[in-house]
Amino acid sequence: MPSITPPNAPFSDADFQRLDDLLWDGAVPRDGMNLEAVDGFFSAMFVAPEPADVETLLPAIWGGGDAPFEDAERNEELHRLLLAFWRSVGRRIAQTDTEDLTAHMPAIQLSQDVFEAVTANSLDALDDDTPYGADWAAGFEYGMYLQQEAWDERLDADPELEEAVSVIFALSDPDEEEQGDLDDDLEDDDFERVDEEPLTPEGVAAAMADPELARTARLIEQAGVPDTQVRAALDEIMNVVRGGEPVPGSPITRGALDEALREVGDEVDELDELDEGFDESEFEGDEDMEPLSAAERVQLIMELPAVLQALHFARLEEQKPQPARRESEIGRNDPCPCGSGKKYKKCHGAPDALH
């Protein structure tokens, strides 16, 4: 099993290993998160623009719905360890000690070969195409997705912060083999409007098999939406369709899905116009981009503590109470606002009145 660098105490190595085992047994089989993804998710929520209640976040970790285990004892243990890990991640991000850099590193899975290459300063010679850090980035991006509007406002207002966050996006797994070539799946069939019927798992499955979805996916890709955020949204949609509880704070609800389904037919013409107006020549060569090497990924991972510190300080700045804005001061020779007709200095601005 790959080595994992645990966060700082008081979350012990034994706690770390036990939480890792519980997640692999209970969360990952339900399309939930492994420990690396949880670290990314908690990191995003700790530095999020809006305060987060960790209790409401936990169901997202094991794929939504009820706790993952049948026996209450393991569910309670998982709950306890996740809360302790949440506090540990927060302490790690907030600490200002710069002497021990390893104390700031997120819990990223790295192979023993990578550790040895880092020690020997021979990363460039490492022949390894494992997408290190991709699970962590996926967890972080899912956290951003839960507060998408607030994140957009924050990054739009601070280009330097947006550039820092691009390090996280770069670590995302492009998943090129599973995604395939969308152009090969496109057809010219006209989109047929869906009847206004209740949304069912069968209906969603049929819609996802429709080639029109591939065209929509391409438009989403062209808009620059990270693939991990798209997959997270689809996972949430399917959970709600199957009767699961929506993730707290998520815009995806049963009513929203039914409304969106009714509006799909009206929006297709607009999507067609966007597709026709898209100049593919502007993106020629993008598909030839080489995936990041192990050395490049490790370098990006080493930048994550600085990125998280920048986001943490931005959050602290956002939470500072804003000074009350004083109304424009009245000049001594201005009319007194009481309506007496006297000058302010002869009325309520007179020394006797002020004291």
Side-chain angles (χ1 to χ4, degrees), residues 271-285:
L271 290 175
D272 286 339
E273 292 177 5
L274 288 172
D275 198 20
E276 292 172 1
F278 174 67
D279 185 3
E280 295 185 0
S281 64
E282 297 180 7
F283 293 84
E284 288 181 357

Side-chain angles (χ1 to χ4, degrees), residues 225-291:
V225 180
D227 184 55
T228 50
Q229 291 188 19
V230 176
R231 292 201 302 270
L234 289 175
D235 287 343
E236 278 198 49
I237 290 172
M238 291 306 298
N239 173 58
V240 174
V241 168
R242 295 187 180 110
E245 290 295 323
V247 174
S250 170
I252 296 174
T253 63
R254 181 81 183 196
L257 290 179
D258 287 338
E259 180 65 22
L261 189 63
R262 287 192 291 269
E263 294 177 355
V264 164
D266 297 332
E267 297 178 354
V268 170
D269 290 341
E270 182 179 347
L271 290 175
D272 286 339
E273 292 177 5
L274 288 172
D275 198 20
E276 292 172 1
F278 174 67
D279 185 3
E280 295 185 0
S281 64
E282 297 180 7
F283 293 84
E284 288 181 357
D286 285 356
E287 65 277 6
D288 297 328
M289 294 178 62
E290 292 292 329

Side-chain angles (χ1 to χ4, degrees), residues 55 73 115 117 138 144 168 170 212 244 246 284 294 313 318 335 342:
E55 291 285 356
E73 185 176 349
F115 280 115
M144 293 182 67
I168 298 172
E212 190 68 29
E284 288 181 357
F313 289 136
E318 292 163 355
K342 299 179 181 180

Side-chain angles (χ1 to χ4, degrees), residues 289-351:
M289 294 178 62
E290 292 292 329
L292 294 176
S293 66
E296 291 170 327
R297 285 189 166 276
V298 171
Q299 290 298 325
L300 291 175
I301 290 170
M302 295 295 289
E303 295 180 32
L304 289 179
V307 172
L308 293 174
Q309 283 269 303
L311 291 169
H312 173 58
F313 289 136
R315 179 173 177 268
L316 294 178
E317 190 68 26
E318 292 163 355
Q319 291 180 339
K320 283 184 179 179
Q322 298 298 317
R325 299 183 61 182
R326 298 179 59 185
E327 297 182 2
S328 56
E329 296 185 1
I330 304 170
R332 286 176 48 79
N333 292 316
D334 292 338
C336 187
C338 73
S340 65
K342 299 179 181 180
K343 290 184 179 181
Y344 179 65
K345 66 182 180 181
K346 296 292 186 179
C347 191
H348 283 79

Side-chain angles (χ1 to χ4, degrees), residues 37-112:
V38 172
D39 190 290
F41 181 43
F42 279 175
S43 296
M45 302 314 299
F46 185 81
V47 300
E50 300 172 357
D53 178 5
V54 64
E55 291 285 356
T56 66
L57 303 176
L58 300 185
I61 292 174
W62 54 72
D66 298 331
F69 299 110
E70 294 183 359
D71 58 293
E73 185 176 349
R74 283 207 293 176
N75 286 327
E76 291 173 1
E77 184 182 17
L78 176 62
H79 180 266
R80 175 183 61 80
L81 288 172
L82 283 172
L83 293 184
F85 190 54
W86 163 263
R87 293 189 292 269
S88 179
V89 170
R91 284 192 294 268
R92 185 191 71 214
I93 295 173
Q95 66 179 322
T96 56
D97 177 24
T98 58
E99 293 184 4
D100 184 8
L101 294 180
T102 60
H104 295 264
M105 293 302 297
I108 306 284
Q109 292 183 328
L110 298 174
S111 69
Q112 189 62 37

Side-chain angles (χ1 to χ4, degrees), residues 195-214:
D195 294 334
E196 296 185 7
E197 297 179 352
L199 198 60
T200 65
E202 293 76 14
V204 172
M208 293 181 72
D210 193 295
E212 190 68 29
L213 183 66

